[in-house]
Amino acid sequence: MKTLRFKVVGTQPLMLNNNQTVNPFNHYAKKLKEFTSKRKKTEEDMLALYGLQFESSLYLAADGKTYIIPADHFWKSICTAAKEVKLGKKFEQSFQIFDDCVLDFPEKNLSPSELYEESSHVDIRVGTIMGKSKVPVCRAIFNEWKTEVVCHFDETQIDEKDVIKIFEIAGLRYGVGTYRKKFGKFTIKKI
């Protein structure tokens, strides 16, 4: 396996939406249920609900302090871009990103609750639940972001120039994070 390292710089804001609250045993899911189960919510309830939604949308490394973008986000973006040039199967079988990517942004030293209070990273918009109900949801957004991605590929199946080309397509058209039609686009530079 050959290794390539890329510096990734966001060209559009990155929106995150960690799906950890799908697990009913997740601590955020339990806390959210206290508020979502209420029929009539006060303003304080809504603010607490948004704060929990915001914090649960973030991805944190095992240390609980370092913000990350899961490796899987980049892998899926790359494999989708590879299909565009008829290399999808080869990339799915011969391309890998093993390590999550550290998210670098100006306020990276703030805790999740401090980020929420800072408010420039808070995005509240209408979301759809079960394809029916429209409700406001709160997610984390980063206007200025960058990271490094280390990828591995089988050079007997994929050329380095193909990896670079596919990464460029992924950044231009597919992005990472959630709501990728509008967010998460990036440029790359080989390190």
Side-chain angles (χ1 to χ4, degrees), residues 45-110:
D45 290 339
M46 290 303 297
L47 290 172
L49 180 64
Y50 290 153
L52 288 169
Q53 287 177 341
F54 176 85
E55 288 187 34
S56 68
S57 73
L58 296 165
Y59 293 91
L60 294 171
D63 66 6
K65 297 176 183 178
T66 306
Y67 299 98
I68 60 169
I69 303 171
D72 197 44
H73 284 216
F74 281 102
W75 186 83
K76 286 179 182 175
S77 182
I78 299 301
C79 288
T80 302
K83 290 175 185 173
E84 189 176 303
V85 293
K86 307 214 183 313
L87 289 173
K89 284 281 187 214
K90 282 193 176 193
F91 269 77
E92 286 176 11
Q93 296 169 345
S94 305
F95 177 84
Q96 201 52 254
I97 300 171
F98 296 113
D99 299 319
D100 293 329
C101 308
V102 174
L103 177 58
D104 188 4
F105 61 100
E107 298 84 11
K108 65 185 175 192
N109 293 325
L110 297 178

Side-chain angles (χ1 to χ4, degrees), residues 34-45:
E34 293 174 25
F35 297 100
T36 57
S37 63
K38 288 185 178 182
R39 286 192 93 32
K40 291 197 175 202
K41 296 174 186 68
T42 65
E43 188 174 318
E44 290 79 21
D45 290 339

Side-chain angles (χ1 to χ4, degrees), residues 24 55 93 139 141 185:
E55 288 187 34
Q93 296 169 345
R139 297 182 183 116
I141 191 165
K185 305 299 190 297

Side-chain angles (χ1 to χ4, degrees), residues 138-168:
C138 183
R139 297 182 183 116
I141 191 165
F142 302 90
N143 293 312
E144 186 181 326
W145 63 280
K146 59 188 172 184
T147 190
E148 287 187 11
V149 178
V150 179
C151 60
H152 309 272
F153 62 97
D154 180 351
E155 67 271 25
T156 66
Q157 299 296 310
I158 305 170
D159 292 334
E160 181 176 318
K161 65 179 174 50
D162 288 331
V163 173
I164 294 169
K165 177 183 174 183
I166 299 303
F167 239 104
E168 288 170 344

